[in-house]
Amino acid sequence: MKKIYIKTWGCQMNEYDSFMIRNILEKKINCKNTKKYKKADILILNTCSIRKKSQEKLFHQLGRWKILKKKNPKIIIAVGGCVANQEEKKIYSRAPYVDIIFGTQTIHKLPKMIYERKKNKNISINTKLEGIKKFNINTLYKKKNLSSYITIMEGCNKKCTFCIVPTTRGKEISRPYKDIILEIKNMAKNNIKEITLLGQNVNSYFYKNNICEYKCTFSKLLHKISEIEEIKRIRFITSHPKDFSNEIINTYKKIPKLVNFLHLPIQSGSNKILKLMKRGYNVQRYKKIITKILKIRPNMKISSDFIIGFPGETKKDFYKTIKIISEINFDNSFSFIYSKRPNTIASKMIDNITLEEKKKRLYKIQKILAYKKIQWNRRMIGTTQSVLVHKKHEKFSKKLIGTTENNRTVYFNGNKNKIGKIVKIKITKIKKKCFKGKIID
């Protein structure tokens, strides 16, 4: 039995793809997953190209694996993910010891590519954009935890000037809703209680059944998933404000299983920068969405992504971003320095902001966001939270560990029969990176 080691970088979609890769190889070529790369016969690197640093990380990692390959030439090294789609043969020119290069939509071809590599001794490359064919492979669920991801669509039709995703993931295509429901039901049979729906832009999910002309929108899909009794919580990422319709907003009225947490990236607080980014909305539109959601769910927590130092961003634009952070009062957001990506519109824009200035702005934003998170943590003390109980505490046998709707870890005294259930916990104390609480009967 061959052993496979998979290293994953990037978004949750990459994590889900790696999960599928493991299942496909275990099923098709009788492989077994290992957490120790030095013991693996097949080394797989699932990459991300959202920022330039990710590419360089790829070649540093391959350099380390090259040493293993020298000792054992039979080891197969495979590179996949977004960088593979973006760079393809350039990877082989820089690292000729790589055996396989596969794309974001050809992971189902891996067993055949491994066979061809062993037979012909030639590098096997396939980074074609094949839509949702990879989902035709039955996925096995052997997860020990109670939460799982599921990709509901591939690609993106948006033309954000900074983003390389339409190049690496292709055009938007939605999976048949029946396939999604079937997969989630299989998850539920294997004790999955919480799912996170994934897509470059989940709001634009749309599947049309040509036979009966039934049209399934994202909100309809949410309703169908909520009817699966065993699933207790529903999350989704990533959303795009342009497509966050009233129909989607109103699902928060009708679906209690939707958590009180929403990741909705605004990227910038400046309308001028949003226009340069071609985001398709302005700050006012974004604020209206948040206002409507908070009317339905006053306890909703909002998180966001912020790109700092986008070409043309002045200090005035930057301080508008600080202003929107204060106005929305985001919880646990993410911020990054703008990274020029090849073949994007923004890569041709004049970038007159020095790296030193970008770092100063990023530091300032991250300091503000960190303080906001601390404030939200403090506000949680004394409150009652809905907590999904995941497992027993590793060190203390009488304690359990669970997560709140806004992704905070809580530990508390409790019987193991609570595992897999949602319980009410009163938060009593902050303990480093987690909370202490007690069950409320």
Side-chain angles (χ1 to χ4, degrees):
M1 183 178 283
K2 299 292 183 184
K3 291 182 180 179
I4 56 168
Y5 173 83
I6 305 172
K7 192 171 188 65
T8 309
W9 290 325
C11 66
Q12 291 88 346
M13 288 187 76
N14 268 21
E15 288 183 39
Y16 179 77
D17 282 350
S18 291
F19 173 63
M20 287 184 70
I21 289 167
R22 188 172 72 243
N23 283 327
I24 289 166
L25 294 183
E26 284 180 359
K27 186 177 180 180
K28 294 289 183 179
I29 60 173
N30 195 28
C31 284
K32 186 179 180 182
N33 190 57
T34 178
K35 292 182 179 179
K36 296 179 179 179
Y37 71 92
K38 289 183 179 179
K39 292 188 175 182
D41 303 289
I42 303 170
L43 296 164
I44 299 172
L45 195 51
N46 194 5
T47 62
C48 168
S49 66
I50 206 79
R51 284 180 293 279
K52 190 176 180 179
K53 279 186 179 179
S54 302
Q55 285 172 242
E56 292 311 311
K57 276 173 66 180
L58 160 67
F59 292 107
H60 289 312
Q61 183 62 55
L62 289 177
R64 288 188 283 271
W65 286 358
K66 180 183 179 181
I67 298 167
L68 295 176
K69 182 92 171 174
K70 275 186 177 180
K71 291 179 181 177
N72 181 8
K74 290 184 179 180
I75 287 175
I76 288 178
I77 298 176
V79 178
C82 292
V83 176
N85 278 74
Q86 179 191 313
E87 299 296 332
E88 201 180 76
K89 291 179 182 177
K90 288 181 182 177
I91 295 172
Y92 182 68
S93 64
R94 280 187 65 175
Y97 46 87
V98 170
D99 301 282
I100 294 168
I101 299 171
F102 63 98
T104 54
Q105 294 178 8
T106 53
I107 63 176
H108 58 296
K109 298 283 182 73
L110 263 176
K112 186 180 178 182
M113 294 174 80
I114 290 169
Y115 173 76
E116 286 174 350
R117 175 58 174 159
K118 286 182 177 179
K119 186 180 178 182
N120 303 322
K121 305 296 181 183
N122 297 322
I123 185 170
S124 182
I125 301 175
N126 190 339
T127 60
K128 290 179 182 177
L129 294 173
E130 298 196 0
I132 56 174
K133 287 182 182 178
K134 68 182 183 184
F135 297 106
N136 294 336
I137 302 290
N138 290 330
T139 308
L140 308 171
Y141 286 91
K142 300 176 182 177
K143 300 191 79 169
K144 291 181 180 179
N145 58 337
L146 303 175
S147 300
S148 186
Y149 297 126
I150 176 169
T151 296
I152 64 170
M153 60 187 298
E154 277 276 326
C156 185
N157 291 345
K158 295 288 181 291
K159 302 292 182 183
C160 299
T161 57
F162 57 84
C163 189
I164 197 170
V165 165
T167 303
T168 58
R169 290 266 179 184
K171 290 183 179 179
E172 211 167 74
I173 182 165
S174 298
R175 292 179 65 187
Y177 70 91
K178 286 185 179 179
D179 291 356
I180 295 167
I181 297 300
L182 181 62
E183 188 171 339
I184 294 173
K185 284 181 177 178
N186 286 336
M187 291 178 181
K189 286 178 184 177
N190 287 274
N191 210 31
I192 298 294
K193 304 295 181 184
E194 177 184 71
I195 57 154
T196 302
L197 310 179
L198 303 177
Q200 264 71 42
N201 176 15
V202 290
N203 316 124
S204 63
Y205 173 88
F206 181 82
Y207 180 77
K208 183 180 178 181
N209 188 327
N210 293 323
I211 298 172
C212 59
E213 293 190 354
Y214 175 78
K215 297 174 183 178
C216 187
T217 61
F218 183 57
S219 58
K220 285 180 181 177
L221 180 65
L222 289 173
H223 280 283
K224 288 180 182 295
I225 294 167
S226 70
E227 292 168 4
I228 302 171
E229 188 179 344
E230 296 87 350
I231 298 299
K232 305 300 181 186
R233 274 186 182 173
I234 304 170
R235 302 179 185 272
F236 54 85
I237 48 175
T238 292
S239 300
H240 196 295
K242 185 180 179 182
D243 295 327
F244 214 98
S245 64
N246 287 328
E247 186 185 13
I248 296 171
I249 291 169
N250 287 330
T251 57
Y252 285 102
K253 284 182 185 176
K254 301 169 184 177
I255 305 177
K257 290 182 180 182
L258 279 172
V259 296
N260 282 321
F261 185 82
L262 172 65
H263 184 68
L264 188 62
I266 188 172
Q267 304 296 3
S268 174
S270 164
N271 285 337
K272 183 193 89 177
I273 297 300
L274 290 175
K275 193 172 182 180
L276 286 171
M277 290 178 172
K278 286 196 176 180
R279 289 290 285 171
Y281 58 86
N282 57 27
V283 172
Q284 292 70 32
R285 159 75 177 147
Y286 184 91
K287 287 164 74 173
K288 279 182 183 178
I289 295 169
I290 302 302
T291 301
K292 287 177 182 179
I293 292 171
L294 290 175
K295 278 184 180 178
I296 297 169
R297 299 275 189 98
N299 294 324
M300 179 71 74
K301 306 296 185 297
I302 312 294
S303 73
S304 177
D305 294 336
F306 298 95
I307 295 175
I308 307 304
F310 188 81
E313 182 188 80
T314 62
K315 285 186 177 180
K316 188 177 179 180
D317 297 317
F318 174 67
Y319 282 105
K320 284 180 179 179
T321 298
I322 291 176
K323 184 183 177 185
I324 196 70
I325 290 171
S326 177
E327 288 176 350
I328 302 294
N329 202 10
F330 291 102
D331 175 28
N332 200 22
S333 293
F334 307 93
S335 54
F336 316 93
I337 288 176
Y338 164 72
S339 183
K340 185 187 286 190
R341 307 314 296 126
N343 303 317
T344 58
I345 296 170
S347 67
K348 297 166 187 172
M349 293 179 181
I350 297 170
D351 186 359
N352 57 358
I353 312 163
T354 65
L355 181 60
E356 185 183 7
E357 177 61 25
K358 289 177 183 179
K359 286 180 178 179
K360 282 180 182 177
R361 292 179 189 180
L362 180 69
Y363 175 76
K364 191 162 191 172
I365 284 281
Q366 289 185 338
K367 200 172 180 181
I368 293 167
L369 291 172
Y371 182 65
K372 291 287 179 188
K373 185 177 178 180
I374 290 168
Q375 285 182 316
W376 279 115
N377 286 347
R378 288 171 179 167
R379 288 192 190 105
M380 287 176 69
I381 297 173
T383 64
T384 300
Q385 300 287 327
S386 293
V387 173
L388 175 61
V389 187
H390 286 273
K391 59 184 179 179
K392 288 173 69 175
H393 198 290
E394 291 177 1
K395 292 182 180 179
F396 308 105
S397 59
K398 292 183 180 180
K399 294 187 185 297
L400 302 173
I401 290 179
T403 52
T404 63
E405 293 188 41
N406 63 330
N407 295 309
R408 301 302 199 274
T409 301
V410 184
Y411 71 90
F412 50 91
N413 290 330
N415 194 292
K416 65 179 182 180
N417 63 9
K418 300 287 186 187
I419 294 172
K421 296 177 181 177
I422 292 177
V423 298
K424 295 293 181 184
I425 300 290
K426 185 174 181 180
I427 305 298
T428 58
K429 194 184 258 187
I430 300 175
K431 297 284 285 185
K432 293 183 179 179
K433 293 183 179 180
C434 61
F435 289 85
K436 186 178 179 182
K438 62 179 180 180
I439 292 179
I440 295 176
D441 294 328

